[in-house]
Amino acid sequence: MVPPSDEVQEGGTKVLDFSFSPAQEDYRCAVRQLALTELLPRYQSGDANQAYPADQVRRVLAFSREFWAERGEEPNLVSVGITAEEVARGDFNAVLTALGPTYTRLLLKEAAPTLLDRWLPGLTSGDQIIGLCLTEPGAGSDMGAMAAAAVRNGDSYVINGIKNSVSYLNADVFYVFARTDPEASGWRGISAFLIPREAPGMSFEEVEDLGCRAVPRGTLTLEDVEVPSEWMVGAPGQAFAMISHFFDINRAIIGLTCIGAAMQSLDETIEYTKNRIVFSAPLASNQAVSFGLAEDVTHLELAGLMCYKVLWMRQNQIPCQDYGAMVKWYAPKMAVEAVHRCLRLHGHYGYSTELPHQQRLRDIIGWQIGDGSEEIMKMLIARSRFGRATFDGNVETGRRQS
Ligand SMILES: Cc1cc2nc3c(=O)[nH]c(=O)nc-3n(C[C@H](O)[C@H](O)[C@H](O)COP(=O)(O)OP(=O)(O)OC[C@H]3O[C@@H](n4cnc5c(N)ncnc54)[C@H](O)[C@@H]3O)c2cc1C
């Protein structure tokens, strides 16, 4: 599914190759098997009990580590995408923390070796969790309005601010973004820090969410939190550009997560409608039913191709911000529509909490907003196609210049 491959025909013309490598194909089958047998049976209880799937995450990470170690390979970004899509078939909420070292290293790309030594082992074994802290009461889509401040005090920084939409509020370490240059505005002058949960001055308050209920989300308040300057990730004032590069990847990962969950609902619904007899015939024998599902499969396959293309582009250092934005609005939207249809085709059974479609729907809706909403993604795409100047003066986003 990866267009185009590195394969070069005689004469030097690149050919399209939509296949995974043999190892990736084996990996995909094996992770799906694991997801369906070990994760799916526990997916709904995680939601009902609001229990973070720690064991499931560790299991996926250990499996993945062993699989690639046996082959003497590091999983590339496309392989990380496979993990996201297949794990989401079993448990949507086990995906983001189960993506392994390739993904986590990119999240912390500019972290100093001492910080990586401290945090990577726990984060990539599943024993520790990281929470990303960008959003504030006055800065969501417009991240350039960030008010959290980190003030230099000798060899340390003192941080004050409110981050009010932190997924993984149960994290062991928080990746906190704050303004270190009070003179700078917009996305300039923002720096990032890795701060352990137990740092004095941090307090936590959970919110009740519609979906993703196995992952606590809420507010982290920082009051005079003093951190050594070595805990800063990357260069001072450059954190916004740094995290923006990661967003391109994360948007494809979120897209594949939504697609995996929706594909699982589709598989279950195809099976159900083939067996459900209504008006003396299988439900699926009505084209009104099968054509709708056929459309959903088409949309999700297309969205999946785009997501893998984004990962492939990043793997090959090809700029892909606009493509990342495309998949971030398109894939969750198509997934929501597909799962909603699946729910309806199960009739009253679909509406009950006994079946997983309602949970997948609630979970996916969260990622229509998280990591950038549909409107903001379209803004990025429009800018890339119309040119930034077209919009200067009438839009304000985190990517503004001043
Ligand atoms: C499930 C979930 C998980 C999240 N996890 C995290 C996390 O781990 N860390 C973190 O920092 N944040 C997280 N967030 C927060 C998320 O990134 C923000 O909610 C998002 O960026 C939007 O910001 P906002 O909610 O303040 O909405 P606002 O910025 O207030 O926007 C509200 C609405 O207006 C629209 N809008 C805004 N500006 C424009 C415009 N110029 N033109 C047209 N429409 C516009 C938006 O698209 C949106 O629909 C999460 C959110 C969710 C739902």
Side-chain angles (χ1 to χ4, degrees), residues 266 270 287 289-300 341:
L266 281 172
I270 288 168
Q287 289 184 340
V289 170
S290 61
F291 281 16
L293 293 170
E295 281 179 23
D296 291 330
V297 171
T298 308
H299 290 307
L300 292 173
R341 188 194 309 277

Side-chain angles (χ1 to χ4, degrees), residues 233-285:
V233 177
Q238 304 299 315
F240 194 83
M242 190 172 72
I243 200 69
S244 296
H245 286 124
F246 176 74
F247 280 156
D248 299 339
I249 301 165
N250 214 37
R251 287 171 180 156
I253 293 294
I254 288 171
L256 286 165
T257 306
C258 296
I259 290 166
M263 284 292 199
Q264 184 58 28
S265 270
L266 281 172
D267 284 355
E268 290 164 7
T269 305
I270 288 168
E271 215 37 51
Y272 177 76
T273 56
K274 278 160 69 178
N275 293 300
R276 171 73 172 163
I277 305 297
V278 182
F279 296 114
S280 309
L283 203 48
S285 64

Side-chain angles (χ1 to χ4, degrees), residues 131-137 139-142 165-168 209 212 217 366-367 369-376 379 395-397:
L132 180 63
C133 309
L134 288 157
T135 304
E136 299 181 0
S141 304
D142 184 4
S165 182
V166 181
S167 292
Y168 304 99
D209 272 339
C212 299
R217 189 177 69 89
W367 289 109
I369 305 166
D371 220 64
S373 65
E374 180 169 334
E375 292 76 16
I376 298 306
M379 192 182 290
V395 288
E396 295 222 310
T397 77

